[in-house]
Amino acid sequence: MEEVLQKLGHLPTKQNEKEAWFLNPFGTETQASFKLDKKLNLWYLFSEGIGGNNTDFMLKYSNTSLKEVLEWAQKQNFSSFQPQINMQLRNAIPNYQIKKVIELQNENLKNYLFERGLSSTVYPFIKEIHFAINDKNLYAIGFENISKGWELRNTFYKGSLQKKDISIINFNPIDDNKKVVVFEGFIDALSFIEMQKIYKGDLLVMNSIALLDKTKTHLKNYSEINLFLDNDRAGLNCKNTILKSFPNAKDYSNLYKNHKDLNEYLMEKIKKRNELHFRKEPEKPPQKIRDFKRRR
């Protein structure tokens, strides 16, 4: 598996004798969530909750048939390209368990949202998830998808639980002329809710570039499509693919062209607004001095 990744141009961000960590080979991310177990020669992608052997990897990476994958591998002069047994795979995949799902209460999670420019306005669209991974107890903000799986975020963790799928939020169930706004991640969708106080239509969150085909299938149900995708290579490719299938779709990424995504744009706006407010706000004298002036 190491040879396969190296051949495809993916290098580890950190490694030791037992394991190696990579940025997501199937999409884009800033924190490595792709783990390779060197001993078992198996991989697991924490950000999407999937894993497997070298054949599973190439089937997803190349989006082609098993025959074509094996033919490609045969030409590469790898030391080996053998499938692993199911028992090894089961041992390599982390054991997830959801402990409880509640309304957002944890102050650390609320502070995380605040740091991302998000207020209590977005609380109705998320949950607080308490879960365990291999007996390690964790908690995170949870955003549900249409298969009842969860996208998870906190200050130190980015991942998913249960089945990976797209998410859809409906803001106007009686509207026949349906419109939709499309995002890659749910933090951008929440940023849209924060900024767009009134909106009638659906919000579709892909939750992974790998779900582009499924996204396109759902987009056939809408008469108006608005794109708020990331301003990076993966987002650009995703946008162009959607525009090719839906020429009437509107791209709004130019609104935040100097930022990676909508949330980064929101945070920058809040920062500038706070700086402006700070400059305009006259410095108040200490309380005792103000009291003294009033007495005089």
Side-chain angles (χ1 to χ4, degrees):
M1 191 65 214
E2 281 186 277
E3 294 179 65
V4 172
L5 289 164
Q6 185 176 14
K7 177 69 178 180
L8 297 172
H10 300 286
L11 301 176
T13 60
K14 60 179 179 179
Q15 63 178 322
N16 54 40
E17 294 181 357
K18 296 180 180 180
E19 62 187 36
W21 289 85
F22 299 78
L23 296 176
N24 184 356
F26 310 118
T28 59
E29 61 185 12
T30 56
Q31 294 183 340
S33 67
F34 183 97
K35 176 185 175 182
L36 172 63
D37 188 311
K38 295 183 179 182
K39 183 177 180 180
L40 297 177
N41 196 31
L42 297 171
W43 59 274
Y44 191 82
L45 181 58
F46 284 83
S47 60
E48 296 189 20
I50 57 174
N53 56 34
N54 43 27
T55 307
D56 298 319
F57 175 85
M58 285 307 304
L59 286 171
K60 178 174 174 61
Y61 190 88
S62 61
N63 192 26
T64 188
S65 68
L66 176 60
K67 180 182 177 182
E68 290 173 306
V69 166
L70 296 176
E71 288 176 350
W72 172 84
Q74 206 170 29
K75 299 175 183 178
Q76 305 307 314
N77 195 32
F78 292 133
S79 58
S80 66
F81 197 86
Q82 301 298 322
Q84 291 77 34
I85 61 174
N86 291 335
M87 183 60 72
Q88 287 179 312
L89 182 57
R90 285 198 297 270
N91 290 338
I93 296 178
N95 179 27
Y96 285 101
Q97 182 183 4
I98 295 179
K99 300 286 189 178
K100 61 180 178 179
V101 178
I102 59 176
E103 299 300 322
L104 185 62
Q105 299 175 6
N106 187 279
E107 291 301 321
N108 290 330
L109 298 180
K110 290 181 179 180
N111 287 337
Y112 168 73
L113 290 174
F114 178 77
E115 290 170 357
R116 302 296 296 264
L118 303 172
S119 70
S120 58
T121 300
V122 307
Y123 290 3
F125 306 98
I126 55 181
K127 297 291 184 182
E128 180 177 319
I129 312 295
H130 292 252
F131 59 103
I133 302 178
N134 293 339
D135 299 323
K136 183 177 181 180
N137 293 319
L138 303 166
Y139 59 86
I141 294 162
F143 186 74
E144 193 172 18
N145 63 42
I146 61 175
S147 292
K148 306 300 180 182
W150 296 95
E151 296 298 311
L152 303 175
R153 298 289 185 278
N154 63 32
T155 306
F156 309 103
Y157 181 82
K158 177 181 179 180
S160 59
L161 285 178
Q162 299 177 331
K163 185 176 180 181
K164 191 82 173 179
D165 210 334
I166 66 170
S167 301
I168 297 178
I169 302 177
N170 181 261
F171 281 91
N172 192 21
I174 61 173
D175 187 6
D176 293 330
N177 187 27
K178 296 185 71 176
K179 63 180 179 180
V180 65
V181 184
V182 184
F183 307 90
E184 287 183 46
F186 79 85
I187 296 295
D188 288 328
L190 296 180
S191 301
F192 179 85
I193 294 171
E194 185 77 34
M195 299 167 69
Q196 193 86 12
K197 301 301 182 182
I198 300 176
Y199 171 73
K200 293 183 178 181
D202 285 1
L203 268 65
L204 187 154
V205 185
M206 297 175 63
N207 291 320
S208 172
I209 292 292
L211 295 174
L212 175 58
D213 288 341
K214 188 160 192 176
T215 296
K216 288 166 60 179
T217 299
H218 279 266
L219 291 181
K220 294 176 183 178
N221 300 322
Y222 298 95
S223 57
E224 181 182 328
I225 300 171
N226 305 287
L227 306 178
F228 285 78
L229 304 176
D230 291 1
N231 283 321
D232 55 18
R233 186 173 65 178
L236 179 63
N237 291 338
C238 184
K239 177 187 72 176
N240 291 337
T241 300
I242 292 176
L243 290 175
K244 186 176 180 180
S245 299
F246 304 93
N248 293 326
K250 299 176 182 178
D251 169 39
Y252 287 92
S253 60
N254 192 55
L255 294 176
Y256 47 97
K257 61 183 179 181
N258 297 322
H259 302 83
K260 177 185 177 295
D261 54 34
L262 188 63
N263 179 249
E264 189 176 281
Y265 170 72
L266 171 62
M267 290 192 293
E268 182 66 20
K269 278 189 65 176
I270 293 173
K271 180 182 177 182
K272 288 183 178 179
R273 185 179 64 201
N274 290 341
E275 289 175 348
L276 182 62
H277 176 76
F278 179 78
R279 288 198 297 268
K280 288 184 176 180
E281 186 76 18
E283 185 177 352
K284 295 180 181 179
Q287 183 67 39
K288 290 183 179 179
I289 295 178
R290 296 204 301 272
D291 292 343
F292 172 76
K293 288 181 177 178
R294 282 199 294 268
R295 286 197 299 271
R296 292 187 62 188

